[in-house]
């Protein structure tokens, strides 16, 4: 099945948002340190997951996208209690970026902040797209 123009547009926007989110994360990492960098990095991790979930499921509602990304973020954080992510992170920079290594309970809150922020932006964009399609209906 060939995806519709709306689906393609959502996927392109999600891909652009993912790139912007990674750039923001790298900028925070390069330009800040301490608690701010840690909290922002945690929130941006979940924002990135929101963009990736949207990329995979472009028709999903913002609440479903944000909830899925939050659940994934929390699952990765709780997996850190097992020591498996720490072992993998010791051998791979990519694993360290994706899985982390050490459980940190405050991250759970910052993941929720990231999910709420991304979900709000997604919902706003969806409302704007719906409103503009009502004003400018597609020709038949």
């Amino acid at each position: 099945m060939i995806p519709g123009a709306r689906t393609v547009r959502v996927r392109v926007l999600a891909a652009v948002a993912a790139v912007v989110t990674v750039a923001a994360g790298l900028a925070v990492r390069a330009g800040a340190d301490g608690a701010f960098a840690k909290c922002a990095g945690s929130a941006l991790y979940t924002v990135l997951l929101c963009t990736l979930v949207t990329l995979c499921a472009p028709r999903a509602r913002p609440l479903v996208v944000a909830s899925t990304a939050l659940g994934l973020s929390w699952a990765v954080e709780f997996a850190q209690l097992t020591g498996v992510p720490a072992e993998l992170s010791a051998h791979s920079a990519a694993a360290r970026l994706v899985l982390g290594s050490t459980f940190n309970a405050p991250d759970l809150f910052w993941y929720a902040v990231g999910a709420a922020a991304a979900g709000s932006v997604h919902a706003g964009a969806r409302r704007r797209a719906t409103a503009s399609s009502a004003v400018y209906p597609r020709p038949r």
Side-chain angles (χ1 to χ4, degrees):
M1 182 173 158
I2 299 173
R6 182 183 182 286
T7 300
V8 171
R9 186 171 41 251
V10 169
R11 282 193 168 128
V12 167
L13 289 173
V16 169
V19 170
V20 169
T21 302
V22 169
L26 292 173
V28 166
R29 194 172 171 111
D33 57 357
F36 174 78
K38 178 74 174 131
C39 298
S42 296
L44 286 169
Y45 180 84
T46 303
V47 170
L48 178 61
L49 286 178
C50 284
T51 66
L52 297 176
V53 170
T54 302
L55 193 61
C56 294
R59 294 178 183 220
R61 296 182 183 275
L63 182 59
V64 172
V65 169
S67 298
T68 301
L70 180 58
L72 290 169
S73 297
W74 283 352
V76 168
E77 191 68 29
F78 282 114
Q80 292 170 355
L81 292 170
T82 69
V84 172
E87 178 63 28
L88 294 171
S89 294
H91 302 290
S92 167
R96 189 170 43 258
L97 289 171
V98 173
L99 301 175
S101 60
T102 309
F103 178 80
N104 185 28
D107 285 349
L108 300 171
F109 170 76
W110 293 107
Y111 295 147
V113 169
S120 296
V121 170
H122 187 171
R126 191 171 175 151
R127 274 193 302 276
R128 267 191 306 279
T130 302
S132 68
S133 68
V135 174
Y136 303 107
R138 292 189 333 189
R140 295 183 181 199

